[in-house]
Amino acid sequence: MLQTSIPSNIQQAAEAVTQAAKQNLPIFIQNHPTESTFPCDGLLLDLTGLHRIGPVMGNAASGYVVQVEAGVSASELYSQLASQNLSFAAVPNDSTTIGGMFCGSSYPAIADHVLGITLIQSDGSPFTLSRGQCFFDQTGCTLPDGRRLELGTLPQHSSIPCLPACGSDLLDLFAGSCGTLGIVALLALRLTPINTAQPVTPSDPDAEPQLLSETEQTIINRVRCFFDPAQLLAQNEPTL
């Protein structure tokens, strides 16, 4: 039986994930109100209720930043920022959520404009990460809480979601992960004046998937096992 949770704040979302972990239920994430096809068993976590937008901080000299919950749609953010002549990455003015853009595979370019995230891990515990806080070395990455993600020998470059490269920012690991590493509930966004924002081009949904080597697949599996020991989010796994 599919259970549904529509949290109105991050704490409620974390509590729903905690309960799912206790019941060993797989979690399916709904980022868009029109999504309707889901499996019959598990927890459907509808994030569209997380749609608060914080105040814009900063100035023209230091830059502008705003915190938004994952369920905020691009149109909601666009409308609120337009009055201040600001924009976020010139994303399309539609009902796609910011969380869905960051975690999905359609708009990977917005990751460069995300300065921080709050992630709900598979056991319901929060994990906050800022850009520039942690980087991968040749064999893995040390997290802010001291845990070490050991992965063996990492490639020098990668454009594959969940496959880190040596020198890459830990924050970018969660871009395009489709919920397989946890649930992004809050994002800190770098804003730009409307007349200087560059349009973001979505990925081609019909593009041929990249074939993974055995080593690359092993690294991705280790990453997912590290962040999702209960495999609660495995059903959200994208096709690579």
Side-chain angles (χ1 to χ4, degrees):
M1 178 178 179
L2 186 66
Q3 304 176 28
T4 301
S5 175
I6 311 176
S8 59
N9 56 57
I10 295 174
Q11 180 59 38
Q12 289 180 5
E15 291 172 354
V17 173
T18 299
Q19 290 302 313
K22 291 179 179 179
Q23 300 176 52
N24 199 29
L25 293 175
I27 297 175
F28 308 98
I29 304 170
Q30 183 168 7
N31 279 305
H32 196 287
T34 61
E35 289 179 305
S36 59
T37 304
F38 295 96
C40 298
D41 296 311
L43 173 67
L44 175 60
L45 190 63
D46 185 342
L47 297 183
T48 58
L50 302 181
H51 52 72
R52 287 180 292 187
I53 302 173
V56 173
M57 299 174 286
N59 52 52
S62 64
Y64 298 97
V65 179
V66 66
Q67 285 193 334
V68 304
E69 291 181 333
V72 171
S73 69
S75 58
E76 289 174 319
L77 185 60
Y78 180 91
S79 177
Q80 182 152 324
L81 295 178
S83 62
Q84 302 176 64
N85 196 39
L86 294 171
S87 177
F88 169 60
V91 295
N93 183 12
D94 61 22
S95 59
T96 306
T97 63
I98 301 301
M101 286 184 180
F102 177 73
C103 296
S105 57
S106 296
Y107 293 91
I110 77 164
D112 293 338
H113 301 266
V114 176
L115 301 179
I117 60 173
T118 294
L119 183 84
I120 301 173
Q121 299 179 98
S122 60
D123 61 357
S125 60
F127 175 67
T128 299
L129 182 67
S130 299
R131 180 168 295 283
Q133 188 176 10
C134 301
F135 293 92
F136 284 92
D137 55 31
Q138 293 180 332
T139 62
C141 183
T142 301
L143 277 63
D145 58 12
R147 289 180 295 165
R148 175 73 182 178
L149 173 56
E150 289 286 359
L151 298 172
T153 302
L154 294 180
Q156 294 296 316
H157 305 283
S158 174
S159 60
I160 301 171
C162 299
L163 178 63
C166 181
S168 62
D169 196 304
L170 176 61
L171 179 65
D172 291 328
L173 181 67
F174 301 95
S177 63
C178 296
T180 57
L181 306 183
I183 300 163
V184 175
L186 183 72
L187 304 94
L189 311 177
R190 181 175 67 240
L191 307 177
T192 54
I194 288 177
N195 57 357
T196 63
Q198 298 297 314
V200 172
T201 304
S203 301
D204 182 1
D206 298 321
E208 289 294 325
Q210 299 184 60
L211 297 179
L212 299 178
S213 68
E214 184 177 348
T215 299
E216 290 172 334
Q217 187 62 65
T218 297
I219 292 173
I220 290 176
N221 290 341
R222 288 177 180 172
V223 168
R224 290 176 175 162
C225 184
F226 181 88
F227 285 101
D228 184 20
Q231 294 294 302
L232 290 177
L233 305 176
Q235 297 299 324
N236 298 306
E237 182 173 338
T239 301
L240 295 176

